């Protein structure tokens, strides 16, 4: 094996038509940083120094993980005074879809037995009125099932309330998340100081790295820790000099973490699609062996298919773009055996043709699969993507619901200001730029026919570089996706600070590049950074933790109490998706619609139920609600008179546009819109006019909510009485 240069992240490998295939039966060769790695135990070094040094690194990782977990748990307690508020207030604090997911954990605990609880979930008729659905197939709620079973079996009931068992589990996953990022930085740089810096940056940038303290049940808070573990496992798998046993263990770790990630988030297919594109790019650049590429693809496929089986053959997984892409990539790759022959221009031309064929075959496979399965569950996501980039209709109600939410808009620039404030952005940008330039040069060299003896890019670094770049682009396009990017961003920036690459280049420019000086700089700079961050932000963290608040939402508490005590247990409620999720959790009543939007029929029903905020006649609204099986409808002043969004993005505006009506207030309207022939229902019903009181009876009201009961029409009367009730 040739000696490595400390100049760049590099391996030496043979190039040419057989260069990549020659690496099939062996692990990739040593890289420039291998002698800097403290984790020599992985390479068989069991000296006392290595054991102690590695043990310290692991201890620091666990300490930082626990610190992050305790930090977010304390913030949650301080913000709500969670330990002191009533049970109904605790449940109301699970806002929007979080309440829906938590309700199934509560439902499983209240079931007479585990078997009956599972049966109720598989044949559920409470989540959507007049429909029986399989919740384990429709939603990703296996984590709630698992926790409820665990709570039943463990002797915890006398010591820990169910809600605390749930939220502490989620907060504990934050510790797993930090440890996974820590390991990724450690593996990349060879120094656990990089992991320490990663954990510190993750905690200090909490606003942009996680929102777990106020959206506990959100699916991403369950899945992203497993995704970070998967990235750490891939990083380890792509490192050189792994034994056969270590490779097998790493592959199993990749599968388990991929499986857990897919099982806990319904948007797993879109995240894995980006990851599959990264693997494809590395393959095209001759940075991975055929075995590695195939293994990574098969890990993704096996994880998705395992979840497909557990979710009772959920067709949305089979119709996912990522599965179609992997099948197309493997098929075209197998058919084009001469892809890696010829000169540079010829190989580039072949790669472009290869990519075109893969994309074409991907869309053909995906189209045929969806036609065969009659799959329409995820079409709203593609409508949103088309509308976001101006490729689809701008009046589509489902797409507009996403486009008008800030979380699905572009990444605000103040995010970058906050990241720069903790010094995270300053090492991150030069690290990415330097590595990107080096990667391009390495790929071009790989594609040349006579590239023997040149320095190639470390595949683990290449993967993490493309990972941060592509998920960064995703974050810039959709703000909600930033939580996938910012955590990994901390690991990449820490690698830039603690790795050899940037410092070697800088010391060469200064003409003082020596091993001793490089070693001093690599350890002194991160220690100085950590010390400065402690001095700058520790007082702010203490001030934040001393800020005590209390949950206060008396109107919602009053509404939930009234529903629980004054309405039949089988009563069906209609209203906004967000409120109905809370009604199900707090009262157990039947819903017409809910926030889990991955079903075409449910999306259409939601649009119909929302006509209570449109300009429709009372007879039309009554017919819509009756068709959905509603007994009560809850109207919210915050929606009827909404001011949070600008004109054109208020819910009532979206409904007006969908119905072809002119919007409220001053401003322009499209020429094809016409004035509505009826007043806005949510406002007009409060006048108690005869047309409304004949069909609806007001049963509850406070400053925020109005609840109306739907009357039963008499079969023998063509017109209802005009006398007010």
């Amino acid at each position: 094996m040739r000696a490595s240069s400390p100049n760049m992240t590099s391996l030496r490998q043979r190039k040419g038509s057989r260069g990549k295939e020659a690496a099939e039966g062996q692990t990739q060769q040593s890289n420039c940083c291998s002698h800097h790695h403290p984790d020599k135990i992985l390479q068989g070094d069991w000296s006392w120094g290595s054991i102690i040094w590695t043990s310290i690194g692991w201890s620091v990782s666990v300490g930082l993980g626990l610190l992050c977990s305790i930090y977010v748990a304390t913030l949650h307690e301080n913000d709500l005074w969670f330990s002191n508020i009533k049970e109904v207030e605790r449940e109301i604090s699970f806002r929007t879809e979080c309440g829906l997911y938590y309700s199934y954990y509560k439902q499983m605990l209240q079931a007479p037995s585990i078997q009956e609880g599972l049966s109720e979930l598989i044949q559920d008729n409470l989540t959507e009125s007049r429909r029986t659905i399989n919740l384990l197939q429709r939603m990703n709620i296996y984590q709630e099932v698992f926790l409820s079973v665990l709570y039943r079996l463990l002797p915890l009931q006398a010591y820990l309330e169910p809600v605390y068992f749930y939220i502490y589990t989620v907060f504990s996953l934050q510790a797993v998340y930090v440890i996974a990022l820590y390991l990724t930085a450690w593996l990349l740089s060879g120094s656990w100081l990089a992991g320490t810096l990663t954990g510190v940056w993750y905690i200090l940038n909490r606003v942009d790295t996680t929102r777990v303290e106020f959206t506990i049940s959100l699916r991403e808070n369950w899945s992203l820790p497993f995704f970070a573990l998967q990235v750490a496992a891939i990083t380890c798998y792509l490192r050189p000099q792994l034994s056969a046993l270590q490779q097998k263990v790493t592959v199993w770790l990749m599968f388990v973490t991929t499986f857990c990630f897919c099982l806990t988030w319904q948007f797993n297919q879109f995240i894995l699609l980006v990851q599959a594109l990264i693997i494809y790019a590395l393959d095209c650049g001759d940075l991975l062996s055929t075995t590695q590429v195939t293994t990574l693809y098969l890990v993704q496929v096996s994880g998705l298919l395992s979840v497909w089986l557990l979710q009772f053959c959920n067709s949305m997984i089979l119709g996912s773009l990522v599965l179609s892409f992997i099948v197309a990539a493997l098929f075209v790759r197998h058919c084009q055996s001469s892809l890696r022959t010829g000169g540079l221009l010829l190989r580039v031309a072949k790669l472009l043709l290869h990519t075109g064929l893969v994309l074409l075959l991907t869309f053909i496979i995906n189209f045929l699969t969806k036609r065969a399965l009659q799959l329409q569950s995820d079409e709203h996501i593609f409508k949103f993507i088309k509308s976001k980039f101006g490729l689809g209709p701008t009046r589509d109600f489902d797409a507009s619901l996403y486009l008008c939410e800030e979380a699905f808009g572009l990444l605000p620039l103040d995010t970058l200001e906050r990241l720069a404030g903790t010094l995270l952005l300053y090492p991150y940008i030069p690290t990415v730029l330097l590595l990107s330039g080096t990667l391009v040069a390495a790929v071009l060299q790989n594609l040349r026919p006579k590239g023997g003896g040149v320095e190639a890019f470390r595949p683990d670094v290449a993967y993490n570089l493309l990972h941060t770049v592509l998920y960064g682009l995703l974050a810039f396009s959709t703000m909600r996706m930033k939580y996938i990017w910012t955590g990994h961003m901390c690991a990449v920036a820490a690698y830039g600070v603690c790795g050899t690459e940037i410092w070697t280049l800088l010391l060469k420019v200064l003409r003082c590049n020596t091993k001793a000086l490089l070693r001093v700089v690599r350890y002194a700079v991160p220690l100085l950074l950590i010390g400065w961050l402690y001095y700058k932000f520790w007082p702010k963290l203490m001030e934040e933790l001393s800020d005590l608040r209390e949950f206060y939402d008396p109107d919602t508490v009053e509404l939930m109490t009234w529903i629980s005590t004054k309405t039949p247990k089988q009563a069906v409620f209609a209203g906004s998706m967000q409120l109905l999720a809370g009604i199900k959790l707090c009262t157990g009543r039947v819903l017409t619609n809910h926030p889990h939007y991955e079903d075409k029929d449910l999306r259409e029903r939601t649009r119909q139920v929302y006509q209570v905020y449109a300009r429709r006649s009372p007879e039309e609204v009554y017919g819509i609600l009756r068709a959905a099986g509603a007994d009560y409808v809850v109207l919210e002043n915050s929606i009827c008179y909404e001011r949070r969004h600008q004109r054109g993005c208020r819910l009532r505006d979206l409904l007006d546009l969908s119905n072809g009506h002119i919007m409220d207030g001053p401003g322009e309207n499209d020429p094809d819109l016409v004035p509505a022939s009826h007043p806005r229902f949510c406002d007009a019903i409060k006048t108690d006019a005869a047309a409304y009181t004949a069909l609806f009876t007001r049963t509850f009201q406070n400053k925020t909510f109005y609840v109306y009961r739907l009357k039963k029409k008499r079969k023998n009367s063509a017109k209802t009485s005009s006398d007010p009730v």
Side-chain angles (χ1 to χ4, degrees):
M1 185 178 294
R2 301 178 183 179
S4 303
S5 166
N7 184 17
M8 280 292 163
T9 49
S10 58
L11 293 171
R12 293 199 184 272
Q13 57 181 206
R14 292 174 292 182
K15 304 296 182 289
S17 62
R18 298 180 59 190
K20 190 171 182 180
E21 313 304 332
E24 291 289 328
Q26 58 186 11
T27 57
Q28 297 207 28
Q29 298 169 344
S30 177
N31 62 70
C32 68
C33 302
S34 60
H35 60 283
H36 293 302
H37 277 279
D39 51 337
K40 293 181 181 178
I41 292 177
L42 195 63
Q43 302 171 8
D45 185 354
W46 289 90
S47 65
W48 281 107
S50 296
I51 293 174
I52 293 173
W53 188 247
T54 304
S55 299
I56 294 174
W58 277 101
S59 301
V60 173
S61 73
V62 173
L64 280 171
L66 292 175
L67 179 63
C68 180
S69 178
I70 294 170
Y71 175 49
V72 293
T74 305
L75 288 176
H76 175 262
E77 168 63 24
N78 291 355
D79 191 49
L80 300 173
W81 203 4
F82 199 76
S83 60
N84 196 59
I85 57 180
K86 296 183 292 186
E87 185 66 23
V88 64
E89 293 175 312
R90 290 178 178 178
E91 293 178 345
I92 292 172
S93 71
F94 288 87
R95 300 288 186 180
T96 64
E97 60 185 292
C98 297
L100 181 68
Y101 297 133
Y102 181 76
S103 71
Y104 300 122
Y105 170 74
K106 178 182 176 181
Q107 182 177 326
M108 279 290 294
L109 290 178
Q110 291 177 342
S113 66
I114 295 175
Q115 291 79 6
E116 290 186 43
L118 288 172
S119 178
E120 290 174 1
L121 293 180
I122 294 172
Q123 296 180 324
D124 177 88
N125 53 15
L126 301 178
T127 305
E128 295 178 19
S129 56
R130 295 188 174 180
R131 292 175 184 168
T132 299
I133 60 175
N134 184 344
L135 291 170
L136 296 180
Q137 180 188 52
R138 177 82 71 83
M139 303 183 190
N140 296 70
I141 58 170
Y142 269 101
Q143 50 268 51
E144 278 75 22
V145 173
F146 175 74
L147 278 192
S148 63
V149 172
L150 204 60
Y151 186 80
R152 279 174 172 268
L153 298 178
L154 296 177
L156 297 172
Q157 289 81 356
Y159 310 102
L160 195 64
E161 296 177 60
V163 65
Y164 277 107
F165 181 66
Y166 186 90
I167 65 174
Y168 285 165
T169 301
V170 180
F171 291 146
S172 298
L173 284 175
Q174 285 298 297
V176 175
Y177 199 174
V178 170
I179 292 172
L181 295 173
Y182 182 106
L183 293 176
T184 301
W186 188 358
L187 288 167
L188 288 173
S189 67
S191 169
W192 56 256
L193 278 178
T196 305
L197 193 54
T198 300
V200 170
W201 266 329
Y202 182 89
I203 295 171
L204 294 182
N205 291 283
R206 173 190 56 81
V207 174
D208 297 302
T209 54
T210 182
R211 49 180 176 165
V212 66
E213 73 274 13
F214 60 90
T215 58
I216 295 175
S217 304
L218 214 59
R219 302 298 84 179
E220 67 190 47
N221 294 328
W222 288 92
S223 63
L224 289 185
F226 294 112
F227 188 59
L229 282 173
Q230 185 229 37
V231 172
I234 290 176
T235 303
C236 184
Y237 174 70
L238 296 180
R239 291 182 63 225
Q241 295 181 327
L242 290 182
S243 67
L245 177 61
Q246 289 170 342
Q247 285 185 344
K248 289 180 181 179
V249 171
T250 309
V251 169
W252 273 105
L253 285 175
M254 288 191 296
F255 166 73
V256 171
T257 51
T258 303
F259 168 74
C260 292
F261 166 70
C262 294
L263 190 64
T264 51
W265 198 12
Q266 69 268 30
F267 294 139
N268 55 67
Q269 54 166 302
F270 302 102
I271 308 304
L272 290 185
L273 176 62
V274 177
Q275 191 176 67
L277 291 173
I278 295 170
I279 299 168
Y280 176 80
L282 294 175
D283 183 27
C284 290
D286 251 4
L287 294 165
L288 300 180
S289 68
T290 303
T291 302
Q292 288 174 327
V293 172
T294 306
T295 300
L296 291 173
Y297 279 149
L298 291 181
V299 163
Q300 287 190 327
V301 171
S302 56
L304 283 168
L305 292 182
S306 299
V307 173
W308 174 71
L309 289 173
L310 272 180
Q311 288 195 295
F312 295 82
C313 305
N314 187 335
S315 59
M316 188 173 170
I317 295 176
L318 283 187
S320 62
L321 267 176
V322 62
L323 279 182
S324 302
F325 176 81
I326 291 173
V327 171
L330 290 175
F331 178 77
V332 175
R333 190 178 192 276
H334 176 74
C335 293
Q336 288 189 311
S337 56
S338 62
L339 190 63
R340 291 178 173 82
T341 59
L344 176 62
L345 293 179
L346 180 60
R347 289 195 65 180
V348 171
K350 286 182 177 181
L351 282 177
L352 292 176
L353 176 62
H354 176 79
T355 302
L357 288 175
V358 169
L359 293 178
L360 178 62
L361 187 58
T362 296
F363 290 118
I364 291 174
I365 293 173
N366 193 255
F367 174 78
L368 294 177
T369 303
K370 288 185 174 180
R371 285 292 297 270
L373 298 174
Q374 298 182 338
L375 178 63
Q376 297 175 316
S377 299
D378 57 355
E379 65 177 8
H380 64 298
I381 299 172
F382 295 103
K383 285 181 181 179
F384 159 70
I385 295 173
K386 290 178 182 177
S387 299
K388 188 176 183 67
F389 296 102
L391 302 175
T394 56
R395 290 188 192 172
D396 183 81
F397 180 75
D398 297 327
S400 298
L401 276 180
Y402 286 99
L403 289 171
C404 287
E405 286 298 325
E406 184 182 4
F408 293 94
L410 299 177
L411 186 73
L413 293 180
D414 61 350
T415 303
L416 301 181
E417 294 176 6
R418 289 192 299 270
L419 296 174
T422 59
L423 302 185
L424 172 60
L425 203 60
Y426 297 118
Y428 175 78
I429 291 176
T431 299
V432 170
L433 291 178
L434 175 66
L435 292 178
S436 298
T438 311
L439 177 62
V440 171
V443 169
L444 289 176
Q445 191 63 52
N446 285 354
L447 296 179
R448 295 181 188 276
K450 297 179 181 179
V454 300
E455 293 180 353
F457 217 78
R458 273 174 50 191
D460 55 341
V461 176
Y463 171 82
N464 281 276
L465 173 62
L466 293 183
H467 182 104
T468 193
V469 169
L470 290 189
Y471 286 108
L473 293 175
L474 184 62
F476 272 94
S477 68
T478 306
M479 188 184 75
R480 185 175 177 179
M481 296 293 109
K482 73 176 181 180
Y483 300 104
I484 305 174
W485 174 55
T486 47
H488 187 261
M489 181 186 186
C490 298
V492 173
Y495 163 60
V497 173
C498 301
T500 60
E501 290 70 31
I502 292 181
W503 295 120
T504 300
L505 180 63
L506 182 60
L507 293 176
K508 276 192 171 184
V509 171
L510 298 175
R511 297 185 178 180
C512 55
N513 184 27
T514 63
K515 289 185 177 180
L517 184 58
L518 177 63
R519 191 176 185 87
V520 170
V521 170
R522 284 184 65 226
Y523 290 100
V525 172
L527 287 173
L528 290 173
L529 254 179
I530 293 171
W532 185 87
L533 291 172
Y534 175 83
Y535 171 78
K536 179 82 173 177
F537 291 99
W538 183 258
K540 293 182 180 180
L541 287 181
M542 292 299 100
E543 182 182 354
E544 184 182 27
L545 291 174
S546 64
D547 184 16
L548 303 179
R549 302 180 184 182
E550 183 178 356
F551 176 88
Y552 184 75
D553 191 355
D555 290 347
T556 306
V557 171
E558 184 184 11
L559 172 67
M560 298 302 175
T561 304
W562 179 84
I563 293 175
S564 297
T565 57
K566 302 296 183 182
T567 64
K569 290 185 177 181
Q570 295 302 317
V572 180
F573 278 79
S576 70
M577 296 184 288
Q578 296 80 4
L579 179 64
L580 290 183
I583 288 177
K584 184 181 188 311
L585 171 58
C586 298
T587 70
R589 299 305 187 262
V590 185
L591 313 180
T592 56
N593 51 301
H594 54 80
H596 195 273
Y597 220 46
E598 279 65 53
D599 181 75
K600 183 182 180 182
D601 294 333
L602 177 67
R603 292 195 293 272
E604 177 57 27
R605 177 184 278 192
T606 299
R607 191 182 71 83
Q608 291 295 328
V609 169
Y610 276 8
Q611 297 301 314
V612 297
Y613 296 107
R615 291 187 177 100
R616 302 292 289 267
S617 69
E619 291 79 13
E620 288 176 308
V621 173
Y622 180 90
I624 289 171
L625 296 177
R626 271 299 179 203
D631 300 312
Y632 294 86
V633 58
V634 185
L635 302 178
E636 301 169 63
N637 288 341
S638 59
I639 298 179
C640 191
Y641 310 111
E642 181 183 358
R643 296 179 181 178
R644 183 169 68 94
H645 292 102
Q646 62 182 0
R647 184 176 186 268
C649 266
R650 300 168 298 191
L651 180 60
R652 62 181 187 268
D653 296 336
L654 302 183
L655 291 164
D656 288 341
L657 291 172
S658 179
N659 295 336
H661 296 158
I662 292 175
M663 294 182 289
D664 284 343
E668 296 182 357
N669 290 282
D670 292 339
D672 61 326
L673 298 177
V674 298
S677 56
H678 300 283
R680 195 165 302 282
F681 178 85
C682 62
D683 183 51
I685 193 174
K686 297 171 187 174
T687 63
D688 290 334
Y692 295 91
T693 55
L695 300 173
F696 302 91
T697 302
R698 186 185 304 170
T699 55
F700 173 87
Q701 76 174 79
N702 59 23
K703 291 184 296 182
T704 305
F705 304 105
Y706 286 74
V707 180
Y708 292 87
R709 179 173 56 82
L710 278 69
K711 293 183 177 180
K712 293 184 178 180
K713 275 188 175 182
R714 295 181 181 177
K715 295 181 181 179
N716 58 352
S717 60
K719 292 184 179 180
T720 56
S721 173
S722 62
D723 297 333
V725 177

